Amino acid sequence: MNALQPHWPVLVVIAPLLAAPLAVLIGRHRLAWAAATAASLCSFLLALQIAAQVRQTGPMVYEMGSWAAPYGIALMVDAFSALLLVIVCGASTGGLLVAARGLGNDIARHRLPLFYAAWLLALAGMAGIVVSADAFNIFVFMEISSLATYILVAGGQRREALTATFKYLIMGTLGATFYLIGIGLIYMMTGTLNLADMELRIREVGELRPILVAGGFVTVGLALKAAVFPLHTWLPNAYAEAPHAVTAFIAACSTKVALYVLLRLDFFVFQGNVPGHGAQFTGFILPLAVVAILAASVLAARARELKHLLAYSSIAQVGTILLGASMVSVTGLTASVAHMYNHALAKGALFVAVACLGTLHSQLSVEGLAGAARRMPLTMAGFVVAGLSLIGLPGTAGFVSKWYLVLAAIELGPAGVWLIAPVLAASLIAVIYIWRVVEPAYFGPSDPALPRREAHWSLLLVLWGVALLNLYFGLRPDFTLTLARQAAEALLSVSN
Amino acid sequence: MAVFGLYNYWMFVALLMIGIYTIMSRPNLIKKLIGMSIFQSAVFLLYISMDKVEGGTAPILKPGATDQIYSNPLPQVLILTAIVVGIATLALGLALVVRIRESYGTIEENEIRELDRQ
């Protein structure tokens, strides 16, 4: 294992990338699932090892084929990437465990190996984005993961899944192409694609206008991919129509990976090197974040279907993550990065609970779930725990990052206190929309036609595993907070 | 004169706008995909334009020639990758349109919306 240690960053990506064609070649759906899960688990264990290593000894750098940067292509895993890597690989592994029993008959048996191959490619793409230190490589990995995700979303049972995917495809491609334009302009001015090198050379650029335009293109393109408020329209239907296991996977990580690239470029590359960037970033992102938090929360409270409700809540949480980042301070970024992790835990658990509910209910409307707690008591209890974490009740993971967000707002002085209001409002509205599901499920009239039947034990195991992690990281937030703080300091080191 | 010297970049902007306008204004899904392709091709043009060095030739080493000026080969290689990505996206998009036609019987966005509402 020790001999392989320098190769960990690349192995995380290679394992699922190699397993993808293997899953197709195997052709038998159970074996393909086993191969996919094994590869995903392998990546997850490596991600945990990397996170532990990075926490102790600092960033890991890997030069592909021993070609030194900036000419060669480098991989770099620092605290920020390590935390995201854990989210991505963990979400994929959990999602695959759910997929074994939770897919129902969304996808025909003989197509399942292809489906798992697409899943592995999505995983490899997202893992590649977070380990890569090269702006163009990030684009390629982004497209790999996006194309695979479109396939996964299109696997939904209803025909609306196809139109949702088409919309996602158009918007996703626009976002990625905007990013490509931005990278092209930066390359034009600096002559490099390596992020660390870019950071140094961007200071020497005399003519700043192309860099400013590039910043605009990159930020808007990635905001589209991350479903930042006015650009979020692809997200609700894509989440709602995808197979439940897929929703659990992509809801936990796909928007976070886009946010990762956004923060990486805006802070690591631009912040401190381009004059006035911090103020521009705050001026652009802060209003969007506040509107996202309020508007999406209200939309969630009015949604009719459970998956739409949770999807709108995700858009509000993207706003919360960006609110922390837009304060451009170490505490704010710590809150932001920690919230990525904690929200992935909470939303992942909620969508696993949706997958459990989906094994019994064909319609997942909020009214249709009346009495669900009597039919599936363990599932609904898990839903409540994850819901509390989403709300941010003390003792759950969601509380920790929201607490840090409030601290960061207070640090800003009297003006910052106003920023606490949207955070609190979002939590209160979250109470409303989670209660809208929980109240009828526990106290509503139960449909006598439906039997009392829990989901398969493997689904419950994943659900309760993640739900308990929500409590664990709420009570012992060391792991998240150390990595998040290291990440925030690395992102801001330039300006200090 | 300086404005005409940037001819390529004006074409890039024009194609970009045509592409994005087509995506937004046409209800026909195939036309939307065509718009998307034009939009992506515009970016290829941007990359290809920037690697041009005045008086530069193809970046192939010739024995004996020491003072040759070469064009920058890197953007061309990058854009080769981006073209492949663009083709894959277009193929997936067209496959989706085929499936949409099979299950809705139409590829007009407004008609699909009507059908979804029912």
Side-chain angles (χ1 to χ4, degrees):
Chain A
M1 203 65 194
N2 274 338
L4 277 179
Q5 189 183 348
H7 302 284
W8 283 351
V10 73
L11 285 176
V12 176
V13 185
I14 284 183
L17 207 56
L18 284 183
L22 200 66
V24 179
L25 288 176
I26 290 173
R28 305 264 297 276
H29 71 97
R30 286 203 189 284
L31 280 175
W33 175 81
T37 313
S40 177
L41 192 66
C42 185
S43 286
F44 183 45
L45 294 177
L46 276 171
L48 288 177
Q49 292 267 19
I50 291 173
Q53 179 79 18
V54 166
R55 217 177 126 188
Q56 281 172 359
T57 56
M60 294 173 85
V61 178
Y62 184 82
E63 285 161 351
M64 289 302 286
S66 299
W67 288 85
Y71 300 107
I73 292 169
L75 304 182
M76 199 266 295
V77 185
D78 65 359
F80 194 11
S81 338
L83 199 66
L84 261 291
L85 206 54
V86 172
I87 298 177
V88 169
C89 299
S92 157
T93 313
L96 277 168
L97 290 175
V98 171
R101 295 273 168 187
L103 277 181
N105 35 13
D106 277 1
I107 292 152
R109 280 259 167 98
H110 68 280
R111 294 229 175 92
L112 275 174
L114 293 168
F115 175 81
Y116 291 129
W119 186 299
L120 286 169
L121 288 176
L123 168 64
M126 284 195 253
I129 292 172
V130 294
V131 299
S132 183
D134 182 280
F136 194 79
N137 254 23
I138 289 179
F139 166 75
V140 175
F141 278 126
M142 202 188 299
E143 285 305 78
I144 293 177
S145 73
S146 304
L147 286 170
T149 313
Y150 306 147
I151 298 170
L152 295 181
V153 173
Q157 210 170 13
R158 310 192 315 158
R159 65 180 182 180
E160 281 85 347
L162 298 172
T163 40
T165 312
F166 191 82
K167 195 169 188 181
Y168 187 13
L169 180 127
I170 295 278
M171 303 279 263
T173 309
L174 282 181
T177 312
F178 266 52
Y179 173 78
L180 190 62
I181 298 173
I183 293 301
L185 291 170
I186 300 175
Y187 177 74
M188 212 147 95
M189 301 311 288
T190 61
T192 183
L193 290 165
N194 182 295
L195 291 179
D197 203 33
M198 205 182 261
E199 184 207 343
L200 296 175
R201 292 216 203 162
I202 218 165
R203 291 177 208 167
E204 296 157 9
V205 174
E207 175 64 46
L208 274 176
R209 193 170 292 162
I211 299 288
L212 286 177
V213 175
F217 270 115
V218 166
T219 309
V220 173
L222 291 168
L224 228 167
K225 286 245 163 206
V228 177
F229 179 66
L231 308 169
H232 68 278
T233 48
W234 58 267
L235 185 140
N237 277 338
Y239 278 19
E241 301 298 342
H244 302 317
V246 172
T247 315
F249 173 33
I250 60 173
C253 52
S254 72
T255 53
K256 270 119 208 143
V257 169
L259 283 172
Y260 162 86
V261 185
L262 181 80
L263 295 186
R264 173 71 75 193
L265 277 159
D266 268 314
F267 283 91
F268 191 69
V269 176
F270 295 138
Q271 177 68 25
N273 301 324
V274 179
H277 180 264
Q280 286 169 1
F281 184 77
T282 311
F284 181 63
I285 293 289
L286 184 70
L288 294 185
V290 172
V291 176
I293 293 173
L294 298 176
S297 296
V298 171
L299 286 171
R302 292 166 52 93
R304 288 236 185 91
E305 299 218 5
L306 179 56
K307 283 178 95 179
H308 269 128
L309 184 151
L310 294 176
Y312 278 117
S313 147
S314 278
I315 298 167
Q317 303 295 327
V318 168
T320 313
I321 292 168
L322 280 176
L323 183 66
S326 68
M327 294 175 191
V328 196
S329 67
V330 171
T331 321
L333 274 171
T334 308
S336 173
V337 176
H339 199 62
M340 284 190 195
Y341 185 79
N342 294 336
H343 173 245
L345 280 178
K347 203 42 74 58
L350 285 170
F351 275 114
V352 175
V354 169
C356 294
L357 290 168
T359 56
L360 184 61
H361 308 80
S362 54
Q363 282 278 328
L364 287 172
S365 64
V366 173
E367 293 97 33
L369 288 173
R374 260 161 281 157
R375 294 189 290 273
M376 312 178 93
L378 287 172
T379 301
M380 276 316 289
F383 185 93
V384 170
V385 172
L388 290 177
S389 178
L390 188 71
I391 293 165
L393 196 79
T396 60
F399 172 73
V400 178
S401 34
K402 285 196 175 163
W403 175 247
Y404 264 75
L405 200 57
V406 170
L407 286 184
I410 292 172
E411 263 181 22
L412 287 179
V417 177
W418 291 101
L419 294 177
I420 301 175
V423 180
L424 290 182
S427 290
L428 288 177
I429 305 176
V431 174
I432 297 175
Y433 57 71
I434 292 297
W435 182 247
R436 268 189 67 209
V437 183
V438 169
E439 194 261 346
Y442 274 90
F443 308 112
S446 183
D447 183 354
L450 286 167
R452 190 199 145 114
R453 194 183 71 219
E454 260 306 346
H456 191 258
W457 62 266
S458 61
L459 293 184
L460 287 176
L461 199 69
V462 179
L463 171 61
W464 274 96
V466 186
L468 289 177
L469 281 179
N470 270 299
L471 296 178
Y472 176 81
F473 285 112
L475 299 172
R476 303 200 47 181
D478 296 354
F479 173 79
T480 330
L481 286 178
T482 350
L483 281 175
R485 181 161 284 277
Q486 280 178 6
E489 279 164 2
L491 285 174
L492 281 174
S493 66
V494 191
S495 54
N496 289 343
Chain B
M1 248 356 249
V3 174
F4 289 112
L6 299 173
Y7 173 76
N8 289 24
Y9 296 98
W10 286 112
M11 285 311 289
F12 154 69
V13 173
L15 284 175
L16 204 66
M17 293 300 126
I18 292 170
I20 209 162
Y21 178 75
T22 313
I23 294 175
M24 291 194 303
S25 64
R26 301 290 128 178
N28 185 307
L29 299 185
I30 298 274
K31 288 184 183 166
K32 272 183 195 291
L33 285 178
I34 294 173
M36 193 186 80
S37 271
I38 296 175
F39 181 73
Q40 286 179 309
S41 308
V43 183
F44 305 159
L45 202 65
L46 169 74
Y47 272 73
I48 298 299
S49 303
M50 77 167 93
D51 74 353
K52 173 76 181 153
V53 178
E54 225 154 286
T57 176
I60 301 164
L61 282 179
K62 262 192 290 185
T66 47
D67 57 346
Q68 270 295 0
I69 303 171
Y70 298 116
S71 288
N72 182 356
L74 187 65
Q76 302 188 3
V77 178
L78 296 179
I79 230 52
L80 206 57
T81 317
I83 289 172
V84 174
V85 168
I87 289 170
T89 315
L90 185 63
L92 187 62
L94 289 173
L96 271 172
V97 175
V98 171
R99 289 277 309 276
I100 289 175
R101 174 77 167 67
E102 280 170 7
S103 47
Y104 284 88
T106 174
I107 53 165
E108 298 291 325
E109 202 180 33
N110 38 6
E111 290 171 18
I112 291 170
R113 214 172 290 146
E114 284 294 309
L115 288 170
D116 271 347
R117 221 172 274 148
Q118 284 163 18

